Amino acid sequence: MRPSGLCELPRSVDDFTGRAAELVWVSELVYAESAPGVGVVGLVTGSAGLGKTTFAVRAAHSVRPSFPDGVLFLDLFGMSQRPLDAGDALRLLLRALGISDQHIPGDVQERASLYRSLLRDKRVLVVLDNAASEEQVRPLLPGGGAGRALITTRRLLSGLEGVRRLVLGPLPLPESTRLLTGILGDRSASDGEPALTRLSELCGGLPLALRIIGNRLVSRPGWGAGELAARLADEERRLDQFTAGDLKIANAFGMSYEQLADSARRMFRRLAVVPGQDFDAALAAVAGGVSIADAWEALDDLVDLGLLYDSIAGRYRFHDLVRLFARDRLHEEESTVEREALAKRVTSWLLRMATLCGQWFEPGYGRPDRPDVDLAVVSSSEEADRWLRVNVDNWLGAMRAALDGGRYSLVLDCAESMHWFSDRWAHSPHWQEVFTRGAEAAAALGDPVQQATQLNYLAWVHSVPPSNPKAVLRHVADALQLATRAGATAQIAWAHEYTASAQLLLGRPDEAIASSTRAAEMFKVIGDIDSYVQSNAAITKCLFDEGRYAEALERYRELLAVLDDPESGMTPSVATHSRPLALICIGQCLRHLGRRSEAIITLSEGIDLLDTLRASDYRQAGALEALADLLAEEGRTDESRRSYARAAQVFEAIGDTEASSRCHALATPTP
């Protein structure tokens, strides 16, 4: 019989919510089997504020009937400046197991041996809370038999062998709201579900944050949940609101921060200037002012302590509240001059990197002869494409910061470099902001030609479905005025071309033909064969929309011949990307002319070429749906359904839910 009260399990909270799957995981430890001599050990890891201790206590209470010889709880003080050493921990545990002080060996190894022998013969659960390191807990683990151990720690303790691991994450929003409602009790009805849901969102799924907010509301009956949510909406003061008596979320994060080496602390706080939600080691190295090798080391330390989340894609992110803590540390520990230099360095790197990647899609562009040694290496258009997409929040945030800081050339260079790439990612929601900021930067630099160029790009953005022809006309009017005043013939021609696209959308094909013809003539005069061909394609589209399919077919075939002619003067890369679109247009003409077999062959060829180019947008989606229709008419049901399914996927990716649902329904066999 062990002495009463030693290492007693703390009380559980009556409003514990969620973690159902995790509680099942702990219950499975009770009857889990392991190799001979290897004790059953569960390791629960997670960052500060996730409620690891609360969870472990609740789990231990739930399985207590399975441990008739007792459940022991020991705080190892892993986040303190002086964690409990293994020898002292063993002495406390041995006393709790009924060993008197005079029979406890003086040697740590002897204590550990006696401890393991007791756990082998007793049905005991030992909860080791807040572990500091592998060295601290190894002597405290059972060596096989009936005893079980459950460890909680902020660190990953990746050096421990043969343990079962459980990573606690933030609570999902419904469970967060239920926990907050449970803490508030009867008053939750008067606060209202929308306000409580908003508060739960701002807590980011951290049980500690929810506990603090709930306790603040309970202790102040005059406060409303909506009022507190409004306070928390202010990022500048949000972290300060997470305080209730001796509970303070910043203290929980601070304990992890204090465990870091100086270099990792510096990396942590400087990462707060990254504009987007996530980042990679290359950007972390820029923010930290270190090599990538040193950045990896610091990032590993931050992940190990739960101050960052990582992913298999090699990207890292903060919890929202941890980001605010990092920002506070940055303001407290670094001077204004240092912070401003850091922000400029990160902004400059992001915009130069984005510009480099965007230029990969310009006609005739290749790997630069003298790459910027400060930038990450980009060896192909595929790498450039991926970097731009996964880092869009970062370089777009850098554009905003640079524009606000008067660094207009950086902004304009970046916006201009996106011209060709934007067509590859036509349905991205970011282009309106990119080219708007480009136009603002050009205006600030007093460059009317570039301002007209950016306004024409904006007109193109609004011509992409779902189109806004009035916005197109508004932007081209401004572009035309600027370009005419500056004598910029190319931008005058593009203004006419985008005017034509708006006129066609408004159901005025005759006016559209006239505008595209005018643009084509101007492109021909200045020798821009690429744009000349595009204007002729626009004229042919007008004929198609008027139902003049035979004329349109003939003109599209003439255009295809130009694209296939190496002596045409077209830029090869432009011709390569234009060819599948021409084939799709020819296929659509053949379809309307009732020439199904030819249409199927031609549409399939165009779609295959788009797949090769990895160009997936509204044009590919429309071609896939047209192909599916034709295959269905030919009785090729399985092929038709596959094409409808692909069309549904592309429509969903570009945000056209109505078309996606339509194609998905046609792809699904009827019972």
Side-chain angles (χ1 to χ4, degrees):
M1 180 71 66
R2 66 185 178 89
S4 175
L6 294 180
C7 296
E8 182 63 30
L9 185 65
R11 63 186 282 272
S12 185
V13 292
D14 59 0
D15 50 27
F16 183 90
T17 303
R19 307 293 193 198
E22 292 87 345
L23 288 170
V24 170
W25 180 87
V26 172
S27 68
E28 290 173 347
L29 287 175
V30 176
Y31 301 105
E33 295 183 359
S34 63
V38 179
V40 176
V41 178
L43 179 66
V44 180
T45 62
S47 58
L50 283 172
K52 296 180 295 299
T53 300
T54 301
F55 166 74
V57 168
R58 180 56 169 251
H61 277 289
S62 70
V63 299
R64 192 165 199 163
S66 298
F67 294 96
D69 293 318
V71 175
L72 308 182
F73 180 91
L74 184 62
D75 187 348
L76 298 177
F77 298 99
M79 289 295 106
S80 72
Q81 293 298 316
R82 296 185 63 184
L84 191 66
D85 67 46
D88 289 340
L90 284 166
R91 180 175 54 80
L92 292 170
L93 290 169
L94 288 170
R95 289 181 64 204
L97 288 167
I99 306 300
S100 61
D101 287 342
Q102 59 267 34
H103 290 104
I104 295 176
D107 181 75
V108 173
Q109 296 301 323
E110 292 180 1
R111 288 183 185 183
S113 178
L114 176 59
Y115 170 74
R116 286 193 298 272
S117 70
L118 293 171
L119 290 188
R120 184 176 59 250
D121 299 327
K122 293 179 181 290
R123 193 71 178 166
V124 174
L125 172 65
V126 180
V127 180
L128 302 169
D129 187 48
N130 195 12
S133 65
E134 293 91 339
E135 293 79 9
Q136 182 192 41
V137 297
R138 275 200 184 97
L140 313 181
L141 303 183
R148 300 287 186 266
L150 183 64
I151 306 169
T152 73
T153 176
R154 295 189 190 184
R155 294 188 178 275
L156 298 178
L157 301 190
S158 54
L160 287 184
E161 315 87 354
V163 299
R164 292 163 169 81
R165 295 177 178 274
L166 173 67
V167 180
L168 283 192
L171 290 173
L173 183 59
E175 290 186 6
S176 295
T177 306
R178 285 199 297 274
L179 175 57
L180 183 58
T181 301
I183 295 169
L184 294 177
D186 294 338
R187 68 158 286 171
S188 63
S190 61
D191 285 314
E193 185 176 347
L196 295 182
T197 299
R198 179 56 181 152
L199 278 175
S200 299
E201 288 176 338
L202 291 165
C203 290
L206 292 187
L208 177 58
L210 291 159
R211 177 74 54 189
I212 289 171
I213 292 303
N215 287 358
R216 292 194 74 182
L217 288 172
V218 168
S219 62
R220 294 170 174 80
W223 282 18
E227 177 187 356
L228 185 53
R231 292 189 188 187
L232 290 174
D234 180 5
E235 272 201 359
E236 295 297 322
R237 301 186 59 196
R238 184 179 302 167
L239 211 60
D240 293 336
Q241 301 297 319
F242 284 96
T243 304
D246 62 350
L247 296 177
K248 188 172 183 179
I249 196 79
N251 289 345
F253 301 149
M255 292 175 71
S256 295
Y257 182 70
E258 292 301 320
Q259 299 292 312
L260 297 168
D262 289 344
S263 58
R265 289 186 198 177
R266 184 168 56 252
M267 172 70 78
F268 171 76
R269 60 182 180 259
R270 290 185 173 187
L271 285 171
V273 304
V274 173
Q277 293 298 310
D278 63 2
F279 48 88
D280 59 14
L283 180 52
V286 174
V290 298
S291 68
I292 289 187
D294 288 341
W296 281 118
E297 185 175 342
L299 291 168
D300 284 346
D301 288 345
L302 295 174
V303 170
D304 185 56
L305 272 166
L307 290 169
L308 284 180
Y309 300 127
D310 63 350
S311 71
I312 57 174
R315 299 190 68 78
Y316 301 82
R317 63 182 178 86
F318 283 111
H319 186 282
D320 288 346
L321 295 179
V322 177
R323 180 191 293 275
L324 295 180
F325 174 75
R327 189 190 63 187
D328 282 0
R329 290 296 87 215
L330 181 66
H331 280 262
E332 285 290 328
E333 298 182 35
E334 306 212 20
S335 68
T336 301
V337 172
E338 289 172 322
R339 296 197 306 271
E340 289 178 350
L342 169 64
K344 284 184 177 180
R345 182 171 72 246
V346 170
T347 296
S348 173
W349 188 89
L350 282 168
L351 291 181
R352 288 184 292 118
M353 190 71 196
T355 301
L356 169 68
C357 290
Q359 287 170 342
W360 269 93
F361 304 95
E362 294 177 359
Y365 184 82
R367 186 181 306 178
D369 294 331
R370 292 185 177 181
D372 191 329
V373 294
D374 293 334
L375 301 182
V377 176
V378 178
S379 302
S380 66
S381 59
E382 289 76 21
E383 289 183 17
D385 182 298
R386 183 180 182 280
W387 192 94
L388 287 169
R389 291 177 192 252
V390 300
N391 287 287
V392 62
D393 290 340
N394 285 320
W395 59 261
L396 193 57
M399 284 189 83
R400 298 180 195 122
L403 192 66
D404 292 343
R407 306 174 76 185
Y408 304 122
S409 294
L410 275 174
V411 175
L412 183 57
D413 287 347
C414 185
E416 177 59 30
S417 75
M418 295 299 151
H419 170 47
W420 289 92
F421 177 68
S422 63
D423 190 61
R424 188 182 179 110
W425 195 17
H427 283 85
S428 168
H430 309 98
W431 299 127
Q432 183 173 346
E433 180 177 0
V434 169
F435 297 130
T436 295
R437 295 189 182 280
E440 292 172 353
L445 290 168
D447 189 337
V449 176
Q450 273 295 338
Q451 188 179 357
T453 302
Q454 299 297 311
L455 290 169
N456 275 329
Y457 296 162
L458 272 174
W460 167 80
V461 171
H462 290 289
S463 70
V464 174
S467 309
N468 184 346
K470 292 183 178 179
V472 174
L473 292 174
R474 184 172 65 252
H475 290 305
V476 295
D478 293 339
L480 185 59
Q481 185 180 45
L482 286 162
T484 301
R485 190 183 307 154
T489 305
Q491 294 311 314
I492 294 171
W494 277 115
H496 288 307
E497 187 55 66
Y498 290 126
T499 297
S501 69
Q503 290 166 336
L504 189 58
L505 289 167
L506 292 168
R508 290 146 47 184
D510 291 340
E511 294 178 42
I513 289 173
S515 295
S516 281
T517 300
R518 187 172 181 184
E521 291 170 349
M522 298 180 77
F523 286 131
K524 188 174 183 180
V525 168
I526 63 175
D528 187 345
I529 185 64
D530 295 336
S531 301
Y532 174 76
V533 169
Q534 186 168 330
S535 289
N536 274 287
I539 294 169
T540 310
K541 176 69 165 57
C542 295
L543 297 175
F544 179 90
D545 285 4
E546 285 189 299
R548 296 158 65 178
Y549 303 121
E551 292 179 67
L553 176 60
E554 187 62 29
R555 289 184 63 113
Y556 276 132
R557 281 180 165 161
E558 291 174 359
L559 288 170
L560 184 61
V562 174
L563 296 173
D564 289 340
D565 180 6
E567 304 299 324
S568 67
M570 287 195 71
T571 304
S573 61
V574 176
T576 297
H577 282 81
S578 300
R579 192 173 193 279
L581 303 179
L583 287 168
I584 287 170
C585 291
I586 290 171
Q588 295 281 23
C589 289
L590 290 167
R591 176 192 180 197
H592 284 283
L593 290 169
R595 296 157 64 176
R596 285 203 300 257
S597 297
E598 294 175 78
I600 289 172
I601 293 170
T602 310
L603 283 171
S604 297
E605 185 181 354
I607 291 167
D608 289 345
L609 284 175
L610 284 179
D611 287 341
T612 301
L613 297 171
R614 299 182 182 179
S616 183
D617 61 15
Y618 64 98
R619 294 163 294 196
Q620 185 188 39
L624 284 164
E625 185 176 13
L627 177 62
D629 291 342
L630 288 165
L631 291 168
E633 292 168 10
E634 289 282 292
R636 296 159 65 175
T637 305
D638 290 342
E639 294 174 80
S640 173
R641 286 173 179 161
R642 286 196 293 270
S643 189
Y644 278 129
R646 281 200 63 198
Q649 291 175 344
V650 179
F651 276 126
E652 182 178 3
I654 65 178
D656 191 337
T657 54
E658 181 180 346
S660 179
S661 298
R662 178 180 67 242
C663 291
H664 180 73
L666 292 167
T668 306
T670 54

